[in-house]
Amino acid sequence: MFEGRSRRCRKRVVIAGLGDSGVLTAIHLAGHVDVVGISTKPAWVSGKELGTRISRPDDWARDYWVAFDRFRRLAGMRTVHGVLTGVDLDRRRVFVRGADGTTGTEDYDALVIATGVTSGFWRRPTVQSADEIGEELRRVHDQVAAAGCVAVIGGGVTAVNAAVNVAVTWPDKRVELYFPGERPLLTHHARVWNRVRRRLARLGVELHPRHRAVVPEGFRCDRITAGPVRWHTGQPDTEADAVLWAIGRVTPNTGWLPPELLDERGFVRVTPQLRVPGRPDMYAIGDVAATDPLRSSARNRADRLLAGNIRAGFAGRPLRRFRARTVQWGSVLGVQPDGLEIYAPNGRAFRFPAWSIEPVLQPWIVRRGIYRGIRDPAP
């Protein structure tokens, strides 16, 4: 399972975390260096599209839960199923506790920190088997399916996505969206909210602005609850059969790293080249990297830039800068019955019609274009 430095010629890159950013970085590095990926899950399990994950788990699993050996570009990557417990910066070595309880080390020439953040029940660093992932998907779906009234708390993409998809899947449910400001999606262009608001109105989702929830003491917003929700903003308590907490409370998964590598909130400090300051052999990407207030390297395809910088670092060439965006862009609602809308930074929408999703978007643009080829699952 674990391999030390031993005898080898090519450079070895260890990617700590194989979520969205880690997998894409590995795809761009594979074939150029030896890649070792360390993951708490036995497959790529995306943190995207919470609404689809809750309301249509089979559809979500088809597109966002993919065994590593199905990625064509990762055919030569060795994966370790386990959790990182520490790092020896001088010896360039990470410590891992495997899913089976065994411990070991992995040596590296370059280390990519892509361990992401803990957020809600859908993004957790716990070691899980495939059966446990499937059981959790079904349990959450059944819990929401049984609820007559669903309250979604939060003003970001995750909350809006969940509210829309729950309302689409179960049109007879009462779905309510509570958010602290005058409108959700504050990090998007105002045009995006204007379009999404019309969609919410057509679906009958009730909007409740200026509601800031009281998070119960000791509660980590990591499960769907029931019962009353109290408000800091003074409104009467809210009753709901299922309360989905998507308030953006995140914790970086960096407990295995030395404090000197982290900022005051626990995120990994990086230069504009996504390198850890003072550590030319360490890089960070995704939600764990303190690139900018939006931590936008997770959503702006910085994976290709990072892979190029790692190779440039090995060769002694200059590294490129990551330039963060000041607004969010991309999909908000995910695939809907009428297709998929992608929003540009200026708020303009581009639509993939419904007929194009399965024959064009998924096989050609996503699986082949973005992920460089994904094999069909075994029968």
Side-chain angles (χ1 to χ4, degrees), residues 188-249:
H188 287 71
H189 195 284
R191 290 192 187 102
V192 178
W193 170 238
N194 289 336
R195 290 182 67 92
V196 171
R197 179 179 56 191
R198 291 194 291 270
R199 171 87 62 161
L200 289 162
R202 290 196 298 270
L203 292 170
V205 176
E206 300 178 30
L207 303 181
H208 300 274
R210 299 178 296 280
H211 280 66
R212 186 176 296 277
V214 176
V215 179
E217 186 175 354
F219 179 49
R220 301 181 62 183
C221 303
D222 56 356
R223 57 186 173 85
I224 294 175
T225 61
V229 178
R230 297 174 54 224
W231 307 101
H232 282 297
T233 38
Q235 295 89 349
D237 292 357
T238 293
E239 294 285 347
D241 302 313
V243 181
L244 174 59
W245 298 80
I247 61 175
R249 178 170 292 190

Side-chain angles (χ1 to χ4, degrees), residues 1-2 39-40 80-83 96-102 127-129:
M1 177 180 180
F2 302 101
S39 173
T40 58
V80 178
H81 184 197
V83 62
V96 187
R97 183 175 64 252
D100 59 0
T102 60
V127 175
Q128 289 180 298
S129 66

